[in-house]
Amino acid sequence: MALAVPSPLDDALMPLHDHYEDEPAALVRTKEKRGLSRFRYHNAESFFESLDRGFYDRHDEMFYQSGIVAQLALSAHLLDVGLCCKNREA
């Protein structure tokens, strides 16, 4: 079962969507996306734990690993809340 949540700004942003000929984003949560979210979140945790313990030799490795943590955490959150385009399948 998917739950779609309309944005309160849909009406205010409609002129921009018309101008750029695109669709507003929708939040549609599904069990499949939440499972993907959970997988990415746990991967972010494991990368973060190694950062927290100092398992890196150089500062550039620390920055690279920090970027991986940020990317995994952000994508996990967006999948969890169900961010997708309305014209794509949920």
Side-chain angles (χ1 to χ4, degrees):
M1 181 174 147
L3 174 64
V5 179
S7 168
L9 298 176
D10 275 350
D11 292 336
L13 295 175
M14 197 50 67
L16 287 173
H17 293 299
D18 291 340
H19 177 76
Y20 291 106
E21 298 177 356
D22 65 0
E23 294 288 324
L27 299 181
V28 181
R29 297 182 86 184
T30 64
K31 284 185 179 185
E32 179 185 5
K33 287 182 184 175
R34 298 212 54 213
L36 289 171
S37 169
R38 191 174 303 108
F39 179 77
R40 287 180 187 225
Y41 179 82
H42 290 301
N43 281 343
E45 276 184 325
S46 65
F47 275 97
F48 181 77
E49 286 174 7
S50 63
L51 267 174
D52 194 37
R53 293 180 183 162
F55 293 153
Y56 52 86
D57 295 328
R58 303 182 327 242
H59 286 321
D60 60 339
E61 290 177 5
M62 178 190 66
F63 291 131
Y64 179 75
Q65 203 157 337
S66 297
I68 292 172
V69 171
Q71 188 273 333
L72 285 169
L74 179 60
S75 62
H77 171 70
L78 293 175
L79 280 167
D80 186 57
V81 298
L83 188 66
C84 70
C85 297
K86 284 185 178 179
N87 58 357
R88 294 185 186 163
E89 290 185 29

